Amino acid sequence: MLDFRPLYSTPQPDAVAEFIEKNYAIEGPISCRMLQRGLNDVYLVVGKNAERYVFRLSQHRARGPADVKSETAFLTHLSQSRVPVAAPIPTLDRAFSLQAQAPEGLRSGVLFQALDGREPHASDLGDARANGKTLAMLHNAAEVFPHDGALYRLDLEYLLWRPLARIGESGIVEDAEVYADLERIAGDTGKAIEAFGNLTWTYCHGDCHGFNSRINEVGEAVFFDFDDSGPGYLAYDLSVFLWANVSFGRNSTRRWGAFIEGYRAVRPITAADFEAALHFVIVRHFWLMGEYAARANEWGSNTVGWIARETNFLKMWETEQLLDRLL
């Protein structure tokens, strides 16, 4: 019989529930339903007494295995430092992650306490401000968290050069002139960032785009989804929020202003880090394009074909925000 060697499989929710009942101190019966399929599979888990959890099963990614050891250690440190985050739940063996066998290989699973509160509103400047405050608290706590042992460093090699290579290897960008534009933009951006020379290094959330949080009853932004966390540029961690408000046709720079206001209410930002964040918007876009390009064989070339059209946004950002400084 022919073995198709699957790239990706989707676990049945009842199998996930059984897996959790065997490995966690949660009284059953447990119900489970899938919340999201994407770079990871995410399930809502409900125990006998209606207590709610979120189980994340990591997918295989081009970067390599999920760094759940560093991620859960950082989350535990943040929780102990009174930073509002979704802390991981230990297993019966007091571990914070498990390996589960799937047809494509081993996948890492982590169980988190489900967060109460509401989703942030795109039009609410208070929500943007709250996200800025929590990120600043995170960076304050990160000052005493060891950076050794993390599998990935959020540097230019990881965020810019490897994604560019994945785009090229995927064959998604067929026009040689378009790919040459991407190479030129990446090169100019990398040189501009390296020219700062004194950028702050910290432990990053890595994906603080404003919606990996819930707004609790006292107005705090409680963070989750630290799958892309790791030691890296503070300016990059800031830039993700700006990028989320200006990319793909959006133009919500007022939210960026509120976010920075919230951040500065807790922690100062150096002039170099603030300036570099504008350049890191391009880096973030390359990172996302690289993630999608790496999934072309799984998601299909039609799904990731938008990558070939993104030079327009990147050129616009270079011209209007980095040269003409309209922001």
Side-chain angles (χ1 to χ4, degrees):
M1 183 172 62
L2 181 63
D3 181 2
F4 281 114
R5 293 174 297 164
L7 286 172
Y8 168 74
S9 63
T10 305
Q12 297 274 4
D14 57 353
V16 172
E18 182 180 350
F19 181 80
I20 291 171
E21 284 185 351
K22 289 180 178 178
N23 290 286
Y24 292 90
I26 300 175
E27 187 175 358
I30 289 175
S31 65
C32 178
R33 64 180 172 86
M34 192 174 211
L35 291 176
Q36 178 176 302
R37 173 184 175 180
L39 294 180
N40 299 301
D41 292 333
V42 182
Y43 297 83
L44 176 66
V45 177
V46 181
K48 178 182 178 181
N49 299 311
E51 65 274 28
R52 299 163 63 250
Y53 306 89
V54 172
F55 183 70
R56 189 196 70 211
L57 193 59
S58 298
Q59 280 207 44
H60 292 178
R61 291 172 61 178
R63 68 179 182 188
D67 190 9
V68 290
K69 182 177 180 181
S70 295
E71 176 193 2
T72 55
F74 186 46
L75 279 167
T76 301
H77 169 73
L78 292 177
S79 182
Q80 292 171 348
S81 302
R82 299 186 181 278
V83 179
V85 296
I89 305 296
T91 68
L92 292 171
D93 295 329
R94 308 305 299 169
F96 283 114
S97 66
L98 291 168
Q99 294 283 296
Q101 184 65 54
E104 65 271 23
L106 289 173
R107 296 173 64 179
S108 296
V110 181
L111 185 69
F112 302 91
Q113 189 76 47
L115 296 178
D116 294 325
R118 61 171 176 81
E119 293 186 10
H121 297 150
S123 60
D124 193 323
L125 298 184
D127 290 356
R129 196 172 295 112
N131 271 270
K133 287 181 178 180
T134 298
L135 187 64
M137 293 171 65
L138 182 155
H139 289 159
N140 280 341
E143 291 183 355
V144 292
F145 181 76
H147 296 182
D148 299 337
L151 293 182
Y152 309 108
R153 290 168 56 87
L154 308 188
D155 54 16
L156 291 181
E157 175 65 23
Y158 181 86
L159 296 169
L160 182 61
W161 305 125
R162 291 183 192 174
L164 176 64
R166 290 176 192 134
I167 295 168
E169 293 162 0
S170 72
I172 293 298
V173 180
E174 297 178 347
D175 189 317
E177 290 186 9
V178 172
Y179 189 73
D181 282 340
L182 292 176
E183 288 184 309
R184 195 273 306 163
I185 294 168
D188 290 350
T189 302
K191 289 177 183 177
I193 290 170
E194 289 170 347
F196 283 99
N198 60 341
L199 297 178
T200 303
W201 194 258
T202 187
Y203 211 93
C204 298
H205 177 282
D207 203 19
C208 182
H209 49 59
F211 297 96
N212 279 332
S213 64
R214 291 292 179 269
I215 307 299
N216 65 17
E217 59 185 7
V218 297
E220 293 178 313
V222 187
F223 281 7
F224 61 90
D225 196 2
F226 283 71
D227 184 46
D228 288 302
S229 62
Y233 290 103
L234 184 145
Y236 173 71
D237 229 14
L238 295 174
S239 77
V240 173
F241 192 91
L242 175 58
W243 165 85
N245 285 280
V246 297
S247 58
F248 300 108
R250 294 180 288 253
N251 185 21
S252 303
T253 53
R254 291 181 66 229
R255 294 192 74 235
W256 166 244
F259 173 81
I260 290 299
E261 179 185 329
Y263 189 100
R264 284 177 168 156
V266 176
R267 177 187 173 94
I269 304 172
T270 70
D273 287 331
F274 185 79
E275 184 74 16
L278 302 181
H279 294 272
F280 271 108
V281 167
I282 290 177
V283 173
R284 170 65 178 194
H285 211 66
F286 270 96
W287 173 85
L288 184 71
M289 291 191 295
E291 287 291 325
Y292 271 70
R295 309 306 276 268
N297 287 334
E298 178 186 327
W299 292 345
S301 58
N302 286 346
T303 302
V304 302
W306 59 268
I307 294 170
R309 301 186 293 272
E310 290 307 296
T311 53
N312 291 333
F313 165 70
L314 297 171
K315 288 178 178 179
M316 177 278 296
W317 189 259
E318 278 188 312
T319 302
E320 295 185 4
Q321 307 302 341
L322 301 182
L323 297 179
D324 297 339
R325 295 306 303 273
L326 298 179
L327 184 64

